[in-house]
Amino acid sequence: MTGKTHLTVGTASALVFTKPQTLKELTLCIGVAAIGSLICDIDVKTTKSHKTADRIIPLSIIAAVLCWYMEYRYSLGIFDSFKRDSNIARLMLGFAAFLVICWFGKEQPHRSFMHSILACLLLTGAVYVMFPAVAEYFGIAMASHMIIDTLNYKNVKLLYPLKTGVSFNVCHAKGPINNYVGYAGMIVIVLEGILFFNF
């Protein structure tokens, strides 16, 4: 599936399964789910795919800046939550673990370690160490990436380090089903927004 599809489906999944109740939770959910939904593809190797993977870092920065802006503009209490649930030592430890896991994953074949349950647990654990309140958003979004990639013709090594993979052989990564899944994710995001804001 394409990055856009992963982004919409990951964000939609996090919204559906966590049901944010406040603007703070909604902001964190969308920002963190955006990162979680794309991080799996840091392991791509082809030149074209590598360009897509290189977008993960700028998109992560944009998500973080948007969260900061929402905190600044609307005084959501994100920093207060962070101070209450975490600290600088935990942030540094979790971030270091996150980087090491991503560095290792980037060197592995595509759809192997970074698309595995093990990687999802390790990265979600690193996020939990940094800021427990957002780990659920990240884990759900990352899991959605792995799940919808199993629809492709190429195997996803969910049980890495086992060599066997999972593929339901339903579609190509950039075919029409990819578009339909992406549109479905966008519709769910809009519906969740309508429910949240009670339009």
Side-chain angles (χ1 to χ4, degrees), residues 14-16 18-30 70 74 76 137 187-199:
L15 289 168
V16 166
T18 63
K19 296 287 186 202
Q21 298 298 307
T22 65
L23 189 57
K24 174 183 85 172
E25 291 173 359
L26 181 68
T27 300
L28 288 171
C29 179
I30 292 171
M70 292 294 289
Y74 299 105
L76 301 177
Y137 308 138
I187 290 167
V188 170
I189 291 170
V190 169
L191 291 174
E192 286 293 322
I194 290 169
L195 290 172
F196 181 85
F197 291 106
N198 297 312
F199 288 129

Side-chain angles (χ1 to χ4, degrees), residues 27 31 60-72 76 78:
T27 300
S60 299
I61 293 169
I62 290 168
V65 168
L66 287 174
C67 286
W68 174 84
Y69 171 77
M70 292 294 289
E71 168 69 3
Y72 172 77
L76 301 177
I78 294 171

Side-chain angles (χ1 to χ4, degrees), residues 24-51:
K24 174 183 85 172
E25 291 173 359
L26 181 68
T27 300
L28 288 171
C29 179
I30 292 171
V32 173
I35 297 166
S37 64
L38 297 172
I39 199 71
C40 291
D41 282 340
I42 203 165
D43 63 4
V44 292
K45 297 290 189 281
T46 64
T47 303
K48 188 174 181 182
S49 296
H50 198 65
K51 288 178 183 176

